[in-house]
Amino acid sequence: AQSVTQPDIHITVSEGASLELRCNYSYGATPYLFWYVQSPGQGLQLLLKYFSGDTLVQGIKGFEAEFKRSQSSFNLRKPSVHWSDAAEYFCAVVPWGQNFVFGPGTRLSVLP
Amino acid sequence: EAQVTQNPRYLITVTGKKLTVTCSQNMNHEYMSWYRQDPGLGLRQIYYSMNVEVTDKGDVPEGYKVSRKEKRNFPLILESPSPNQTSLYFCASSCQGSYEQYFGPGTRLTVT
């Protein structure tokens, strides 16, 4: 079945540590790819997107993501996490001719 | 300030009592959409609208109605709410074809 998966429901990292959040999709053709962040009590904010071209994309707040076609993945990374990064992160895709499909989300906790 | 607004932010109601959640955007966006967010399921699309008087079903439209009489407004109507519609609802908008959705702050609905 076509879907977007985020294997980690909850991740805890220490402040200053590196972060990688995983996202995998199962669609025949490469969809448009997105990462959104939802801070507590807030709406979703776009971190970055990939449509085509360079497979390493830079976003806001120091985040980056790498598209790997062979693995159908679009993992989000940050080299050094700040306490303010604690939030829920959603991977989303737009398959060809369809609307947004969101993953289930990964909740990030940051230890001081 | 560019924004998407939703009202009310919180609503507790009883089964069967019709309600409307309003959504308004000030960015002259053509595309608007409603999502519901449930734990472990991410965001699921309820309805979307490509422009005035053009609406279509998303993935979970049952029990909901929408209308798009003006470009800036996209209300969500629950004619006869049921407890399984208890959820967090988000409205979003974007320029046609940009896929960069701007989200409202959310409406937490409880149906008893």
Side-chain angles (χ1 to χ4, degrees):
Chain A
Q2 297 179 327
S3 67
V4 180
T5 57
Q6 294 180 246
D8 304 303
I9 296 173
H10 184 204
I11 285 181
T12 300
V13 300
S14 297
E15 192 168 17
S18 63
L19 171 70
E20 182 169 29
L21 303 182
R22 297 181 290 164
C23 173
N24 294 92
Y25 62 89
S26 58
Y27 292 89
T30 300
Y32 295 156
L33 301 162
F34 305 80
W35 275 100
Y36 281 85
V37 61
Q38 183 182 27
S39 298
Q42 304 293 316
L44 277 73
Q45 181 182 21
L46 179 66
L47 283 176
L48 46 77
K49 63 185 185 289
Y50 174 78
F51 289 176
S52 65
D54 192 343
T55 57
L56 185 64
V57 294
Q58 303 296 320
I60 62 172
K61 305 186 183 210
F63 285 93
E64 67 178 26
E66 185 172 15
F67 166 59
K68 292 186 177 180
R69 185 187 305 274
S70 61
Q71 297 177 19
S72 296
S73 69
F74 188 56
N75 292 350
L76 182 71
R77 301 194 294 243
K78 186 170 186 177
S80 177
V81 169
H82 188 262
W83 64 266
S84 60
D85 293 323
E88 186 143 25
Y89 292 80
F90 292 94
C91 180
V93 308
V94 178
W96 179 254
Q98 299 181 42
N99 283 299
F100 269 81
V101 178
F102 283 83
T106 297
R107 184 160 64 92
L108 173 66
S109 297
V110 180
L111 298 175
Chain B
E1 179 191 355
Q3 61 182 347
V4 179
T5 57
Q6 294 179 227
N7 284 292
R9 294 289 313 278
Y10 302 91
L11 180 59
I12 300 174
T13 190
V14 297
T15 299
K17 186 176 181 182
K18 180 179 178 180
L19 65 92
T20 299
V21 183
T22 64
C23 172
S24 183
Q25 50 93 5
N26 62 1
M27 296 168 279
N28 201 37
H29 286 165
E30 296 85 8
Y31 183 92
M32 296 186 74
S33 181
W34 275 103
Y35 296 89
R36 61 178 288 172
Q37 181 181 9
D38 301 290
L41 297 178
L43 278 75
R44 294 177 293 167
Q45 191 176 54
I46 302 171
Y47 269 94
Y48 64 95
S49 170
M50 304 285 267
N51 214 322
V52 176
E53 302 291 2
V54 180
T55 63
D56 209 345
K57 296 177 180 178
D59 297 319
V60 288
E62 295 77 20
Y64 304 94
K65 284 177 56 177
V66 293
S67 68
R68 187 91 182 271
K69 293 184 170 54
E70 305 166 283
K71 197 171 188 180
R72 63 183 293 126
N73 296 323
F74 190 45
L76 179 69
I77 303 156
L78 285 71
E79 297 252 342
S80 183
S82 62
N84 65 11
Q85 293 178 297
T86 292
S87 188
L88 180 58
Y89 291 86
F90 287 101
C91 180
S93 72
S94 67
C95 285
Q96 191 65 35
S98 82
Y99 298 103
E100 292 194 37
Q101 294 193 90
Y102 291 78
F103 282 81
T107 294
R108 186 166 292 281
L109 172 65
T110 301
V111 183
T112 61

